Amino acid sequence: MTTEPTSTPTSTVFEYAPAPESRSIVDLRASYGLFVDGEFVDGHGSSFKTINPATEEVLAEVAEADDADVDAAVRAARRAHTRVWSRMSGSERAKYLYRIARIIQERGRELAVLESLDNGKPIKESRDVDVPIVAAHFFYYAGWADKLEHSGYGTTPLGVAGQVIPWNFPLMMLAWKVAPALACGNTVVLKPAETTPLTALLFAEICQQADLPPGVVNIVTGAGGTGQALVAHPDVDKVAFTGSTEVGKAIARAVAGSSKKVTLELGGKAANIVFDDAPLDQAVEGIVEGIFFNQGHVCCAGSRLLVQESIAEELLAKLRTRMATLRVGDPLDKNTDVGAINSAEQLQRIRELSQVGEDEGAGRWSPPCELPERGFWFPPTLFTGVTQAHRIAREEIFGPVLSVLTFRTPSEAVEKANNTPYGLSAGVWTEKGSLILHMAGALKAGVVWANTFNKFDPTSPFGGFKESGQGREGGRHGLAAYLRGGDL
């Protein structure tokens, strides 16, 4: 058991002058249509506003696709698949993917600024993490396009892929889905999240700039109804979804009995496990990276810290000191560590579950933090005295909230870590290689990081077990979901 500190941890915090990234590189339109058959077109439905979560400023009006718009996009994708894309050699498709990757690099600063404006994440994350990984995925799958016969999954594409992506990593999730689909010879209809559509629409411009054949990539914006129309469309051969477990279950029910292939990357409640021989300073950095990166808006976030009882007090003292140095504020400021919560709806959920944690008896602590008056903000938060019975230990909060539990033995750590309906990721911190291998085999998680956390690479597969989804994205395994022989 741990006790709450009697005073706020002190640490040396260097004061930095504001270093905001300029918005001038982004040419925001007042309104955006849909991207269908290689052109931006007006939708038949209504429109909605996308806002900057840091300021609540309206960024643009965006068309909301209705069933007729979705049907037009799917028909355009089918024509492009039948007449052009599936007939093209792998080496020819690779040229387009390489071209897209290079344009993403060239326009990286523009993409990063727009992502931070629309999403609320710190510019240093969108600039130094998201955009480079996005380009890397297109480069990687470009390399696979003419080597599919060596993948083990065949060479025959499925056809039209309907892809629905979330708001936490809009551009990165687009790349995870679009790049392998195109490399395998499929065409795409993609629906971005309604709160973060702008980088997907900028990607549409990049497709035009790369002279991608019309209809190969189509982007339909909208809310849940648009996604439902896309998933249910009878001419969609493949559904790929990243988002909440609740919506993933609904999608699974909707496609049950059909011939559609489905990939679902859903929620998580990852355990970040620290043993008594771990390098504590390094572990603290991994804990901070695991839960406060992207405001905790990460499906594989290390939201449950399991720390060996003998070092709990020492580790928590170091963690509180480190949390006190985190800077919360303007996402476009290069000094910012924790940006804005993506939406008012998500902020309300974080507040509600945090209050539940307090009401159920857990000890709540946040470092002194002056939050901006406008926008959606929540401070980095730590809960101690948490048990397996607490809701904050069982439910996905999807925010900068860390629940701390203790354990004594490796078997107890495994039992507590696996006591969840999720199975997406986990982290293990120890100097013993044998213990790392033992834990990796015992933990029911699709990804287990050792002495690090939240590291992604396009060559590595990612995905979960149980209610964290089915299928894999990334690496050679990511090709399986887009090829006829992928069930082998």
Side-chain angles (χ1 to χ4, degrees):
M1 297 295 292
T2 60
T3 58
E4 289 301 296
T6 57
S7 61
T8 300
T10 59
S11 61
T12 302
V13 180
F14 293 98
E15 293 300 327
Y16 293 94
E21 175 66 272
S22 173
R23 292 179 51 164
S24 63
I25 194 170
V26 173
D27 183 19
L28 273 172
R29 305 179 190 175
S31 62
Y32 289 85
L34 313 172
F35 186 67
V36 177
D37 209 15
E39 300 290 340
F40 283 97
V41 298
D42 294 330
H44 294 93
S46 58
S47 64
F48 61 95
K49 294 178 174 64
T50 185
I51 68 170
N52 181 344
T55 63
E56 302 180 60
E57 160 203 4
V58 175
L59 297 172
E61 288 269 351
V62 181
E64 183 166 12
D66 63 10
D67 290 6
D69 295 318
V70 171
D71 182 63
V74 173
R75 285 189 283 109
R78 178 62 65 189
R79 286 193 302 271
H81 176 262
T82 303
R83 300 176 185 178
V84 180
W85 199 244
S86 65
R87 297 186 178 188
M88 196 177 289
S89 68
S91 59
E92 287 297 311
R93 291 198 301 270
K95 291 178 183 178
Y96 286 101
L97 289 170
Y98 280 125
R99 194 178 302 165
I100 288 170
R102 288 194 294 269
I103 295 172
I104 288 170
Q105 289 181 319
E106 291 166 3
R107 302 181 69 172
R109 185 180 171 204
E110 181 183 3
L111 288 163
V113 171
L114 187 58
E115 192 82 320
S116 289
L117 281 173
D118 205 21
N119 172 275
K121 66 175 62 190
I123 185 67
K124 66 181 181 182
E125 292 180 6
S126 55
R127 178 196 64 198
D128 298 341
V129 180
D130 293 25
V131 171
I133 290 177
V134 168
H137 270 78
F138 279 96
F139 277 122
Y140 176 73
Y141 282 109
W144 267 113
D146 63 348
K147 305 175 186 67
L148 297 178
E149 64 269 24
H150 305 297
S151 70
Y153 304 121
T155 60
T156 306
L158 297 175
V160 176
Q163 302 177 329
V164 181
I165 60 174
W167 47 260
N168 57 332
F169 291 96
L171 195 58
M172 194 188 301
M173 293 299 100
L174 178 152
W176 281 25
K177 289 174 171 54
V178 172
L182 298 192
C184 292
N186 302 277
T187 53
V188 165
V189 181
L190 179 131
K191 190 203 87 71
E194 62 269 29
T195 61
T196 54
L198 296 183
T199 46
L201 295 168
L202 182 53
F203 178 77
E205 294 181 19
I206 289 173
C207 291
Q208 290 179 320
Q209 187 178 345
D211 292 324
L212 192 70
V216 173
V217 169
N218 306 271
I219 295 174
V220 291
T221 47
T226 304
Q228 291 171 2
L230 178 57
V231 167
H233 197 286
D235 206 24
V236 167
D237 303 294
K238 157 73 183 180
V239 174
F241 171 77
T242 295
S244 71
T245 296
E246 180 183 4
V247 175
K249 289 179 178 179
I251 289 173
R253 289 191 292 268
V255 302
S258 73
S259 60
K260 292 182 172 80
K261 290 188 70 171
V262 182
T263 302
L264 301 173
E265 197 266 283
L266 309 176
K269 194 68 179 176
N272 209 356
I273 306 167
V274 183
F275 287 93
D276 58 7
D277 65 336
L280 294 192
D281 290 336
Q282 180 183 340
V284 165
E285 292 304 310
I287 294 163
V288 168
E289 176 76 7
I291 187 58
F292 302 125
F293 172 68
N294 200 37
Q295 296 73 255
H297 298 333
V298 186
C299 53
C300 55
S303 54
R304 289 183 298 152
L305 174 61
L306 272 61
V307 56
Q308 199 150 19
E309 193 173 278
S310 59
I311 59 164
E313 290 192 14
E314 182 183 2
L315 178 70
L316 287 172
K318 288 177 177 289
L319 179 57
R320 290 187 178 98
T321 299
R322 179 66 176 90
M323 288 173 62
T325 70
L326 295 175
R327 289 174 170 82
V328 181
D330 180 8
L332 288 185
D333 191 321
K334 302 180 188 75
N335 299 317
T336 294
D337 299 301
V338 180
I341 302 303
N342 180 253
S343 66
E345 179 183 14
Q346 185 58 30
L347 177 59
Q348 182 61 27
R349 173 171 174 78
I350 296 169
R351 285 173 171 168
E352 287 178 358
L353 283 173
S354 296
Q355 186 59 52
V356 167
E358 272 195 277
D359 293 343
E360 291 183 344
R364 179 175 180 172
W365 181 84
S366 294
C369 183
E370 186 175 342
L371 301 178
E373 293 183 2
R374 290 190 59 80
F376 313 127
W377 305 92
F378 197 87
T381 299
L382 179 72
F383 278 99
T384 54
V386 179
T387 71
Q388 297 285 87
H390 283 88
R391 281 182 63 188
I392 56 172
R394 303 195 316 270
E395 297 184 24
E396 186 178 36
I397 300 174
F398 221 63
V401 180
L402 178 64
S403 299
V404 183
L405 300 89
T406 60
F407 67 91
R408 293 183 179 180
T409 65
S411 60
E412 184 185 357
V414 169
E415 186 175 357
K416 286 185 173 180
N418 288 341
N419 186 18
T420 173
Y422 300 107
L424 189 55
S425 64
V428 178
W429 298 83
T430 175
E431 289 187 346
K432 298 183 180 70
S434 59
L435 183 55
I436 289 171
L437 294 174
H438 166 73
M439 295 295 292
L443 293 169
K444 293 186 174 73
V447 177
V448 179
W449 287 290
N451 294 323
T452 189
F453 209 91
N454 273 347
K455 298 301 179 186
F456 299 100
D457 187 280
T459 66
S460 299
F462 181 86
F465 298 109
K466 300 189 288 185
E467 291 192 9
S468 287
Q470 62 188 55
R472 294 292 181 266
E473 293 182 306
R476 179 183 68 88
H477 301 74
L479 299 167
Y482 294 98
L483 292 167
R484 290 280 175 201
D487 293 328
L488 297 176

